[in-house]
Amino acid sequence: MASSCFCPPNPAFSVSTSAHSHRKATLRHFAVRLPARRRLESNAPNRLKVFATSSAIPVMDQSPQSKASSHVPAIVEVDLGNRSYPIYIGSGLLNQPQLLQRHIHGKKVLIVTNTTVAPLYLDKTISALTDGNPNVSVETVILPDGEKFKNMETLMKVFDKAIESRLDRRCTFVALGGGVIGDMCGYAAASYLRGVNFIQIPTTVMAQVDSSVGGKTGINHPLGKNMIGAFYQPQCVLVDTDTLNTLPDRELASGLAEVIKYGLIRDAEFFEWQENNMSALLARDPEAFAYAIKRSCENKAEVVSLDEKESGLRATLNLGHTFGHAIETGFGYGEWLHGEAVAAGTVMAVDMSRRLGWIDDSLVHRVDKILQQTKLPTAPPKTMTVEMFKSIMAVDKKVADGKLRLILLKGPLGNCVFTGDYDKKALDQTLHAFCKS
């Protein structure tokens, strides 16, 4: 993998804003133009913390001196007061036992993983938890792999193992896998004994840039995706980028849908960087991926710090998800990967935004181009009908007082709104443009 194709952004670029007034306006209207606000801590050059009140917004310095080495992880901190936690990002982090062990509070650990990930990384994870730490005992539960198993029946296998192993309130659950494992393990941790510690070790792009961060946990219901769950924050998130070396191409592309999302809704410079570096990401260039993961986590962390329980602002992270979740539910969980459904849903949201006159045609073309380059779907399955979309979206979590609220782009690149105040004809026109009647 040639790293020469990786083009870091200009480190001198910066944006300034009045954080107090901006935050007040954003939380009131849920209209977003929030470039990631970051500040380097002087005593830890590789550690970044997200501050909701910082007015300086320097873009991440990608100079050789600032790049995290394989021995020193980059750290993005999710700032939630006494529930704050670090996201460690770097190569070979599963070979650094101290990173995980500092977040283990009791003597018992339960690793939740699946049949695909277990042969690859379970032994390495057990070693990271127990190396030089003989007082810790590790139990494991290996679940079937796939979105269709993200349900109550599979979740019970985690509880069965925890109860059989007599795990107490000081135990720690460890999620080792992609978004499905992270969501289920987190929900199990939130529920077992009314809440125990848990750690996220995401092994897919999707989980590393999005689902492992922010504390959303849960399972699917046959009538709707992620309808049952809880907000429950981990002790830490450990992103070992080496795990992407074993990720299938389709899964890798699926995760990039979430990376693209961050650029569209709140980080125009990041989207422009993606347009110039998508070939490097698809080639698994390690420097490009380290940057994309870190920048995505910075964006996610700031939004979570401002709106942990999704009262408004955090919902903007779901660009394309309302349409996408309808595809997953209507077409069958697991038939399309989550990112594939989100990609098609994003195209539909962008199309609707254009029909409302909120964005110009050039942005529509840019979105279509980057998704095609990533080999992601740009339309829903042909079996999806208008009525299927409408009936499934009617029970979406973002429905309030019977009104479907959507995340749509509005204005220049990097701006979006979360709103139910739109011309319903535009929604009907979009659905009919992409689906059978």
Side-chain angles (χ1 to χ4, degrees):
M1 289 176 284
S3 60
S4 59
C5 54
F6 168 58
C7 302
N10 179 2
F13 177 89
S14 64
V15 180
S16 297
T17 186
S18 172
H20 177 73
S21 62
H22 190 84
R23 180 184 180 190
K24 182 178 179 181
T26 298
L27 293 177
R28 182 173 66 248
H29 300 297
F30 311 139
V32 178
R33 182 63 182 100
L34 274 172
R37 281 166 282 200
R38 308 171 188 100
R39 182 169 75 195
L40 290 176
E41 294 183 327
S42 59
N43 62 341
N46 283 309
R47 184 181 182 87
L48 282 87
K49 187 169 183 177
V50 176
F51 293 91
T53 57
S54 174
S55 60
I57 319 171
V59 169
M60 192 176 95
D61 184 359
Q62 281 295 114
S63 61
Q65 292 87 345
S66 73
K67 291 176 184 175
S69 72
S70 60
H71 303 293
V72 181
I75 305 178
V76 176
E77 185 163 312
V78 183
D79 191 14
L80 293 169
N82 61 5
R83 289 173 295 102
S84 299
Y85 56 92
I87 308 167
Y88 303 109
I89 304 168
S91 171
L93 300 192
L94 283 173
N95 297 323
Q96 300 185 41
Q98 75 281 3
L99 292 178
L100 287 178
Q101 291 181 18
R102 69 182 59 160
H103 298 285
I104 303 298
H105 302 302
K107 296 183 178 180
K108 292 188 176 182
V109 175
L110 176 64
I111 300 176
V112 180
T113 187
N114 64 32
T115 52
T116 300
V117 176
L120 299 170
Y121 302 112
L122 180 55
D123 288 346
K124 184 183 284 285
T125 303
I126 293 173
S127 295
L129 292 164
T130 59
D131 185 32
N133 196 17
N135 293 326
V136 169
S137 63
V138 179
E139 303 288 343
T140 63
V141 56
I142 301 175
L143 305 178
D145 186 15
E147 185 81 28
K148 64 183 178 181
F149 299 109
K150 187 180 169 182
N151 54 33
M152 189 64 73
E153 181 182 358
T154 306
L155 183 69
M156 284 299 159
K157 298 180 187 298
V158 181
F159 294 131
D160 291 346
K161 186 65 176 181
I163 295 170
E164 290 168 3
S165 303
R166 299 184 180 182
L167 301 186
D168 59 28
R169 280 197 169 96
R170 284 182 55 79
C171 74
T172 300
F173 286 16
V174 175
L176 175 65
V180 171
I181 287 295
D183 280 8
M184 285 201 296
C185 179
Y187 188 37
S191 306
Y192 183 66
L193 298 177
R194 296 184 176 87
V196 298
N197 297 326
F198 92 106
I199 291 171
Q200 290 268 20
I201 306 179
T203 60
T204 66
V205 176
M206 177 69 66
Q208 290 179 359
V209 303
D210 192 76
S211 63
S212 68
V213 179
K216 274 190 178 182
T217 70
I219 57 174
N220 298 331
H221 186 278
L223 297 179
K225 184 177 169 70
N226 294 331
M227 295 298 289
I228 303 166
F231 289 98
Y232 197 67
Q233 303 295 341
Q235 296 295 301
C236 76
V237 179
L238 186 138
V239 178
D240 187 335
T241 56
D242 289 357
T243 59
L244 298 183
N245 294 334
T246 55
L247 192 65
D249 289 342
R250 185 183 174 193
E251 289 274 3
L252 184 126
S254 173
L256 290 174
E258 297 285 1
V259 176
I260 293 168
K261 168 198 73 179
Y262 288 115
L264 290 173
I265 64 171
R266 69 189 312 270
D267 196 340
E269 190 203 11
F270 187 29
F271 185 81
E272 291 162 359
W273 176 88
Q274 293 167 34
E275 290 178 308
N276 294 324
N277 290 275
M278 186 54 69
S279 59
L281 292 173
L282 293 172
R284 302 174 191 248
D285 179 276
E287 291 183 9
F289 249 114
Y291 178 76
I293 293 168
K294 191 159 180 272
R295 186 72 169 250
S296 297
C297 286
E298 288 168 358
N299 276 290
K300 179 73 175 280
E302 182 182 6
V303 172
V304 171
S305 73
L306 291 169
D307 181 19
E308 181 184 3
K309 299 294 180 69
E310 200 168 298
S311 60
L313 173 62
R314 185 170 176 175
T316 61
L317 295 174
N318 291 319
L319 175 70
H321 285 57
T322 302
F323 295 104
H325 286 172
I327 293 170
E328 291 182 272
T329 303
F331 196 47
Y333 293 129
E335 293 298 320
W336 274 26
L337 297 177
H338 176 64
E340 293 171 338
V342 166
T346 297
V347 173
M348 296 176 75
V350 170
D351 177 85
M352 183 175 167
S353 301
R354 180 188 60 80
R355 292 177 188 276
L356 289 166
W358 292 357
I359 60 173
D360 59 35
D361 289 345
S362 64
L363 184 52
V364 177
H365 296 318
R366 290 173 72 181
V367 172
D368 192 66
K369 181 179 179 181
I370 198 168
L371 290 174
Q372 287 191 26
Q373 185 181 2
T374 316
K375 296 181 174 61
L376 286 168
T378 55
K382 293 181 180 179
T383 54
M384 289 292 293
T385 66
V386 171
E387 287 309 311
M388 288 173 68
F389 267 107
K390 287 185 174 180
S391 63
I392 296 170
M393 292 195 303
V395 296
D396 186 87
K397 298 187 296 299
K398 292 178 287 299
V399 171
D401 299 325
K403 181 179 290 187
L404 175 64
R405 296 178 294 171
L406 294 169
I407 297 88
L408 300 168
L409 302 185
K410 190 173 186 178
L413 174 64
N415 293 270
C416 71
V417 292
F418 173 46
T419 183
D421 186 16
Y422 52 82
D423 187 344
K424 304 303 184 291
K425 290 181 180 178
L427 175 58
D428 285 340
Q429 289 170 351
T430 290
L431 291 176
H432 281 93
F434 284 91
C435 308
K436 299 176 182 177
S437 299

